[in-house]
Structures are given as structure tokens and as C-alpha cells.
């Protein structure tokens, strides 16, 4: 079987070197076509949440499995006795200031990701960064209490379920009205998918942060 893989690899390499790819049809602009079909100025969001929505669904599912895996693999370990956090006041102030800025950036990227560079994944990372900065300046018990009080785990699961259902409806050919190009409420379901991904990634990051604080004592 190893020789089959080697021969297949050599054949693919020869194909890329010897057999040229057909010249693309440049009579139409791909970016303009994506913008027209998706109804959003940000062609990247149009590709992620429309043209390659299958890929995006499985990316979100993979992120969910990674979160579950982190919790599962560390579940049998002994919780850490020492929690490493910032203790000096200047570092705490700077970290919380950075958390505020990251949270605001995350909200902006989630809401306007279909109009300008950004989107759900970037917004979720910004939100997770904000949560991480708060975690290294606050009590782990307080962070855990806030996580449970606001039912963050439930909202994370609800967001992924709504995302999958809405994505399947979109893939079935049922789309919301695109609205006016460039308006905040435009692009059909793409802004909603952006927000759902942002919520999913941010809350998932929060769950992982709590797990690593509990079992590793640090982020």
C-alpha cells in the first residue's frame, strides 16, 4: 500500500508540472459575481457563508468537538492547586482595558462583518480574548459562577444548533431577502450566521479557558 501512495504522489506531482491548468475565464470578475450573488460587500463573508457553507458548517462542528475533547481529556486529572494570575494593579488595569477594547471590537466585527473585513470567526476570537484577559485578573470561582449564572454552556449549544438549521435551510435554496447592498440589514442570512458563529466561538473559548484554569492553573 505504501508504494501505491508513492506512485499516486509522483503522478500528481507530474500532473502539476507537465499538464497545464485551463486558462480561467476572465470575462467576468469573480469578486463581483460573489458580491452580486451573496448581497454583501465583503466577498470573503459571501464565500464562507454561502459559496462554501458546507465547509463552514464542518469547521464549526470541528471547533465544537475540540471543546468537548479538551473537557473530556482533562476530566480525570486532579485540579490545580495554584492559579497563576496578575496581582499588580497596573497589569490588572491594562488587561481589563484590553478586554474592553477586544469585546467592543468583537461586537463590531460580528455585526458589521458582512460589510467590512471581519466576520463571525474573527469576532469570536476577539470575544474569547476579552474573556481570557478578564480571567487572568479575576477569581476563577467568580468566572465559573458567571458562566453558570448566564447559562453560557446552554447558549453555546443553542447557537450551534440554530446555525446548523439556518445553514441547512440556506443550502436548500431558501434565502432571506438580500436588501440593499451595503446596508447594515442586508445579505440575507449571512449577518445572522456571522453573529451565531461569533457567539459560538466566544462561549466555546470561555469553556476551554475555565477548563485550563481548573486543571492547569493557567491559560
Amino acid at each position: 500500500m505504501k508504494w501505491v501512495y508513492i506512485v499516486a504522489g509522483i503522478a500528481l506531482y507530474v500532473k502539476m508540472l507537465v499538464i497545464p491548468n485551463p486558462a480561467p475565464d476572465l470575462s467576468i470578475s469573480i469578486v463581483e459575481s460573489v458580491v452580486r450573488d451573496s448581497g454583501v460587500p465583503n466577498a470573503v463573508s459571501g464565500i464562507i457563508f454561502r459559496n462554501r457553507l458546507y465547509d463552514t458548517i464542518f469547521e464549526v462542528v470541528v471547533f465544537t468537538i475540540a471543546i468537548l475533547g479538551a473537557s473530556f481529556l482533562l476530566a480525570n486529572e486532579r485540579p490545580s492547586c495554584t492559579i497563576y494570575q496578575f496581582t499588580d494593579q497596573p497589569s490588572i488595569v491594562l488587561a481589563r482595558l484590553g478586554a474592553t477594547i477586544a469585546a467592543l471590537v468583537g461586537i463590531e466585527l460580528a455585526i458589521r462583518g458582512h460589510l467590512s473585513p471581519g466576520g463571525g470567526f474573527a469576532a469570536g476570537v476577539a470575544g474569547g480574548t476579552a474573556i481570557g484577559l478578564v480571567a487572568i485578573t479575576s477569581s476563577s470561582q467568580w468566572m465559573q459562577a458567571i458562566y453558570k449564572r448566564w447559562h453560557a454552556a446552554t447558549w453555546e449549544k443553542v447557537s450551534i444548533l440554530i446555525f446548523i438549521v439556518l445553514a441547512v435551510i440556506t443550502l436548500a435554496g431558501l434565502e432571506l431577502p438580500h436588501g440593499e447592498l451595503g446596508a447594515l440589514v442586508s445579505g440575507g442570512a449571512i449577518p445572522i450566521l456571522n453573529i451565531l458563529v461569533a457567539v459560538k466561538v466566544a462561549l466555546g473559548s470561555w469553556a476551554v479557558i475555565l477548563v485550563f484554569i481548573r486543571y492547569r492553573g493557567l491559560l
Side-chain angles (χ1 to χ4, degrees):
M1 187 61 68
K2 178 176 65 175
W3 290 106
V4 174
Y5 296 150
I6 294 175
V7 171
I10 294 175
L12 179 60
Y13 181 72
V14 172
K15 186 269 177 189
M16 291 187 295
L17 288 181
V18 178
I19 305 176
N21 292 322
D25 182 10
L26 300 178
S27 59
I28 60 172
S29 171
I30 298 177
V31 174
E32 292 178 359
S33 177
V34 171
V35 171
R36 183 181 65 250
D37 294 340
S38 61
V40 296
N42 185 356
V44 175
S45 291
I47 293 173
I48 292 175
F49 292 108
R50 190 178 185 277
N51 296 51
R52 299 188 62 181
L53 188 53
Y54 276 116
D55 294 349
T56 306
I57 291 175
F58 287 107
E59 287 173 4
V60 175
V61 171
V62 166
F63 184 79
T64 304
I65 294 174
I67 296 171
L68 295 174
S71 302
F72 177 78
L73 291 176
L74 295 176
N76 294 327
E77 294 196 12
R78 181 178 300 175
S80 176
C81 299
T82 304
I83 306 297
Y84 299 94
Q85 295 177 320
F86 288 159
T87 55
D88 58 301
Q89 196 62 31
S91 297
I92 293 175
V93 172
L94 289 176
R96 293 182 177 177
L97 175 62
T100 303
I101 296 173
L104 293 175
V105 170
I107 295 172
E108 197 273 341
L109 291 176
I111 295 176
R112 293 177 51 85
H114 61 297
L115 304 179
S116 60
F121 290 101
V125 170
T129 301
I131 294 171
L133 289 173
V134 173
I136 61 178
T137 61
S138 306
S139 167
S140 58
Q141 292 80 7
W142 180 79
M143 291 290 296
Q144 186 71 40
I146 293 293
Y147 184 83
K148 292 182 178 179
R149 182 189 307 170
W150 291 99
H151 305 286
T154 302
W155 284 110
E156 179 193 352
K157 295 178 178 63
V158 169
S159 65
I160 183 62
L161 291 176
I162 296 176
F163 176 87
I164 293 176
V165 170
L166 187 57
V168 170
I169 293 174
T170 303
L171 290 171
L174 302 176
E175 296 189 34
L176 298 175
H178 286 175
E180 181 182 355
L181 181 66
L184 185 61
V185 182
S186 62
I190 292 179
I192 303 175
L193 295 174
N194 258 331
I195 295 173
L196 289 173
V197 170
V199 172
K200 166 62 186 173
V201 173
L203 295 182
S205 301
W206 192 353
V208 172
I209 287 171
L210 291 178
V211 168
F212 275 92
I213 289 177
R214 177 176 175 82
Y215 294 104
R216 289 289 185 265
L218 44 82
L219 300 181

